[in-house]
Amino acid sequence: MGVGRFHGVAAAVLLVAVAGPAPALADTIEAALVRAYQNNPQLNAQRAQVRSIDENVPQALAGYRPKAAFTATAGYQYSDTYSVAPGFGGEIHGTDPPRSAGVTVTQTLYNGNQTANKTRAAESQVSGAREALRVLEQTVLLSAATIYMDYLRDAAIVEVQRNNTKVLEATLDQTRGRWEYGELTRTDVAEAEAQLAAGKTQQLTAEANLTTTRSNFRRIIGDEPKQLAPGAPIDRFLPATLPSAVALGLAQNPNVTASMFGIDVNYLQVKVNEGALLPTVTLQAAVQQGYEQQLILYRTFGAAATAQLSVPVYQGGAEYSLIRQSKETLAQQRYNLDVVRDQTRANVVTAWGQLVAGKAQVVSAQSQVTASEIALDGVRDEARAGQRITLDVLNAQQALVNARVALVTAQHDRVVASYAVLNAVGRLSPQVLKLPTAAYDPSVHYQQVRDNWYGTKTPDGR
């Protein structure tokens, strides 16, 4: 097989669509990322969780608002009394149906700033949940890009192995023909047969791997792969140097920012628990209308407004334990931030190293393929001249197959590594990739529910 003949085949690795010539409407990696971003069930579940956490804010804000309760009573009673009051002496007995209705409104005026701190903590929880959503978004996009490239790689390897099987079948036919004419021995035929059997095994393994990859493609992207267009590296979106990539990762990686918001939440929880030691001031207003509460009274009406000051003195020590516990939790979260930063730095350096290695591996693999093709042609010519045996030709053919598989793998790793670097620095998003889709904005739902005073329907009508 000549050099030029391979490059026409090698292009199918990542540079053209897998199944034959590139169709006009081939699926692209950008379109696959959009489908995963829009339809991945794990990602949609995380978005629902963020919307759930949004509700923590109106729940905390409820502490600022008055609470009103309507009460009504009705019943039946029998009374038997004897009065000695002047002018009203004598026995009074009988039955009556007492009933009443009233409204009580309670407003907290001060509770040690617990409501304010709970509100701020809830807002930090929302921010942390959004960062956790960014983590999963990046994970899904990276998985989608990886499985897209996995399918291109595995499909290309299948084609390489199928072509190898055809070549080995032709080689076996030629070897048998030359054996029949007495040019080769039975050993040469057996070697060709063994190599063909090994080639078929490699082909079956490659086809099985492709079947598995197709299933994972359906799971992550949401549909079956059809006519995949080439995938290209996204180096244009990456930082120029490793130090700038590390700095960007420490500033923008959502794992880091989520951990920072976690510190805010735990700090405010300390303040909430400390507020339990401070006085509480409430104002209560009540009106009540009653009928036949007593035998000699038909109707009563009452209205009252009271202010209450409650100063905690001692409550068994539980409040102090909660404060100490929340302080330790805060310290733990601060240590966790250091762990996350160290891990992020390591991930950026690792991904960057894989990207640099991937670039070199593609060049090396291309050189290996070219040299293997030249070597195979030379060994075949030498074998025709009687200077090489059949096993030398078979070994050269296998070396070429291995080189082609190495090139396929290197091109795959090169593209995936570029996505991995963007993920490590925290910028693998539809906005940065300029994907043709509307980005999910969690602040829309937050603004819809933040100041809701009542209502059980969600903004989407459920």
Side-chain angles (χ1 to χ4, degrees), residues 37 40 42-44 46-47 49-50 126-144 249 252-261 340 343-344 347 419-420 422-431 440 442:
Y37 180 78
N40 186 275
Q42 185 180 8
L43 189 53
N44 285 330
Q46 187 70 21
R47 289 165 179 161
Q49 182 178 1
V50 173
V126 169
S127 299
R130 293 178 183 177
E131 295 307 295
L133 176 60
R134 283 185 58 212
V135 171
L136 188 57
E137 285 178 348
Q138 293 200 148
T139 300
V140 169
L141 290 176
L142 178 60
S143 298
Q252 295 192 13
N253 188 288
N255 287 298
V256 175
T257 50
S259 186
M260 291 180 176
F261 285 118
V340 172
Q343 186 62 57
T344 298
N347 290 343
Y419 280 89
L422 197 62
N423 173 72
V425 300
R427 289 180 55 79
L428 185 57
S429 65
Q431 298 91 328
Y440 179 79

Side-chain angles (χ1 to χ4, degrees), residues 378-424:
V379 170
R380 283 175 173 167
D381 292 340
E382 293 171 0
R384 296 188 189 98
Q387 299 175 346
R388 295 277 188 166
I389 62 176
T390 301
L391 183 60
D392 293 331
V393 177
L394 295 174
N395 288 339
Q397 171 65 22
Q398 186 59 46
L400 177 58
V401 171
N402 294 340
R404 291 174 176 174
V405 172
L407 177 58
V408 170
T409 304
Q411 290 177 319
H412 161 276
D413 294 345
R414 167 75 174 87
V415 176
V416 172
S418 64
Y419 280 89
V421 172
L422 197 62
N423 173 72

Side-chain angles (χ1 to χ4, degrees), residues 98 112 274 303 316 447:
E274 289 176 344
Q447 295 299 333

Side-chain angles (χ1 to χ4, degrees), residues 73-96:
T73 62
Y76 177 84
Q77 69 179 4
Y78 170 79
S79 300
D80 190 352
T81 61
Y82 183 80
S83 174
V84 296
F88 296 95
E91 183 177 349
I92 303 175
H93 60 87
T95 61
D96 61 321

